[in-house]
Amino acid sequence: MQQLTQRVVDLVDKALEGNGLEFEEMEYLYGVDPLSRDSYLIRWAAHQMSLAATDGKAEIHAQIGLNGSPCAKNCKFCSFAVCNGLVNKKVELSEDDVKYYCDEYVEAGANLILMLSTASYRFEKLLRMVEVARGVIGYDIPLLINTGDMTLEQALQLKAAGIVGAYHAVRMREGIDTSIPLETRLATIENLQKAGLSISTCVEPVGPEHTPHELAEASWRCMSYPSNSAGVGRRITVPGTQVDGRGQLSDLQASLLLAVYGLTTGFKPALNCSVSSPLSAASGGNLCWAEVGTNPRDTVDLTEKGGRGASIQRCRSDYEKAGWEVLEGPSQGWVLD
């Protein structure tokens, strides 16, 4: 019978002390066979740390996709990318749509709400949607945005409008699988910090082609700037995109990568972001996303209508299956001043 690898045992013991791991140690763990006994030890350890970091309470954050227009940034993995030719019409939510979704999310118990838009979405309209959302949810629930790159002035305007943070990430092979320069993404993250906005980020979108070294480099970069939540997100491979033939990680593979990231960062950030699944929830994932509206990982106008969007109820069920309680009230990882 397969035995545990002593180096893995030693690295897990070191990680459980809560002080994190070094680059080379993280890279080594990213290369572990997901079907090995080592993998199960890594995922167990990450789960224990995650439970301790949040006192056994998982969080469910809720995303509202505002638009699904063709986007010239040409991210090869995105259903909206012009280069993929999957979207040829303009889909935008109305103010009433946003009010409805916010009402539904508040009623369902979302701990945080995020509004997602493509880089082509008008900034003035985004500011207006922030105002609309705040009018429904008040100021207790954290409100985030996930949009294109922005200037410092725009970041300051978003903060003044009621945004407390932003999801922003340097994607895997940025500038190769996208037409966005790496420096542009990093400049936006710097602008967000200067504006006093908190950051949510992720190592994503990860596919079978990405090596342990690439994953370690991307993870190390994520850890170089302060974030309230982070993690590793697998690529949801949309049929018909230019990455369609590369395949997609299994739940088991994705949960191992999530666990390694959690072990490497220690207890901060406390929120380790994952997809909604019992396996991820049992591997260190204590934050997952419900999704409505448009979705760059989907080909339907509204992702909750027969698409891939998970509901608050499904996320809650996945956590309960993995032995978590779900936090009631506003996010504790994004406590407002």
Side-chain angles (χ1 to χ4, degrees):
M1 182 176 291
Q2 185 187 63
Q3 300 298 309
L4 287 167
T5 303
Q6 188 58 49
R7 189 180 182 196
V8 171
V9 173
D10 292 342
L11 291 179
V12 166
D13 286 344
K14 177 181 177 180
L16 286 171
E17 295 175 0
N19 298 318
L21 298 173
E22 300 299 324
F23 181 95
E24 294 78 9
E25 296 169 335
M26 169 178 51
E27 182 179 359
Y28 177 81
L29 292 183
Y30 274 141
V32 166
D33 180 357
L35 291 172
S36 67
R37 185 177 290 190
D38 292 332
S39 170
Y40 286 80
L41 176 63
I42 292 167
R43 293 192 292 107
W44 168 84
H47 187 49
Q48 297 306 305
M49 288 185 65
S50 189
L51 287 166
T54 59
D55 195 27
K57 292 182 173 59
E59 296 194 14
I60 302 172
H61 295 183
Q63 174 179 291
I64 301 172
L66 296 176
N67 77 310
S69 308
C71 181
K73 298 302 180 181
N74 284 330
C75 302
K76 295 177 182 177
F77 42 80
C78 178
S79 62
F80 302 146
V82 171
C83 66
N84 288 324
L86 298 178
V87 173
N88 55 17
K89 62 181 179 178
K90 184 177 181 179
V91 176
E92 289 193 358
L93 299 188
S94 67
E95 291 185 14
D96 285 341
D97 292 330
V98 171
K99 290 177 183 177
Y100 171 79
Y101 284 134
C102 286
D103 268 330
E104 289 287 299
Y105 274 150
V106 170
E107 180 66 24
N111 305 119
L112 174 151
I113 293 176
L114 174 147
M115 293 193 293
L116 165 74
S117 65
T118 69
S120 62
Y121 196 69
R122 288 191 303 110
F123 185 74
E124 294 74 16
K125 190 164 187 178
L126 179 59
L127 289 174
R128 173 56 187 158
M129 289 305 191
V130 172
E131 181 181 354
V132 169
R134 276 293 181 213
V136 176
I137 70 174
Y139 284 83
D140 290 333
I141 298 176
L143 181 63
L144 275 61
I145 49 95
N146 179 358
T147 190
D149 291 290
M150 69 190 77
T151 64
L152 175 57
E153 180 182 358
Q154 288 173 322
L156 288 167
Q157 286 180 273
L158 285 166
K159 181 176 175 63
I163 290 296
V164 301
Y167 177 87
H168 210 73
V170 175
R171 281 76 61 84
M172 300 299 294
R173 301 184 183 177
E174 193 81 79
I176 299 173
D177 283 344
T178 77
S179 64
I180 306 172
L182 169 65
E183 295 75 20
T184 300
R185 305 299 283 178
L186 293 174
T188 294
I189 291 170
E190 183 177 350
N191 289 335
L192 292 169
Q193 292 182 81
K194 286 180 178 178
L197 292 170
S198 297
I199 296 172
S200 171
T201 192
C202 198
V203 177
E204 55 96 352
V206 179
E209 73 274 20
H210 297 125
T211 67
H213 187 72
E214 283 182 282
L215 289 167
E217 283 189 326
S219 299
W220 211 248
R221 182 168 50 236
C222 278
M223 296 170 197
S224 70
Y225 40 83
S227 60
N228 285 28
S229 63
V232 177
R234 69 174 176 175
R235 179 179 64 236
I236 303 300
T237 304
V238 180
T241 59
Q242 293 191 16
V243 299
D244 190 2
R246 299 182 189 177
Q248 181 173 301
L249 296 178
S250 67
D251 283 354
L252 185 62
Q253 290 171 310
S255 65
L256 172 62
L257 301 183
L258 173 77
V260 171
Y261 190 94
L263 291 182
T264 303
T265 56
F267 291 108
K268 291 187 178 296
L271 295 178
N272 194 4
C273 183
S274 68
V275 297
S276 178
S277 79
L279 188 56
S280 292
S283 303
N286 56 19
L287 160 63
C288 70
W289 290 89
E291 298 172 307
V292 295
T294 59
N295 192 327
R297 296 173 299 282
D298 214 335
T299 54
V300 298
D301 289 348
L302 300 176
T303 193
E304 73 273 19
K305 302 292 187 181
R308 69 168 306 273
S311 66
I312 295 279
Q313 292 75 17
R314 175 184 151 186
C315 294
R316 191 180 300 275
S317 175
D318 287 343
Y319 278 129
E320 289 172 352
K321 291 173 183 176
W324 285 91
E325 293 181 51
V326 175
L327 178 72
E328 298 293 336
S331 169
Q332 293 303 295
W334 289 79
V335 175
L336 304 181
D337 295 332

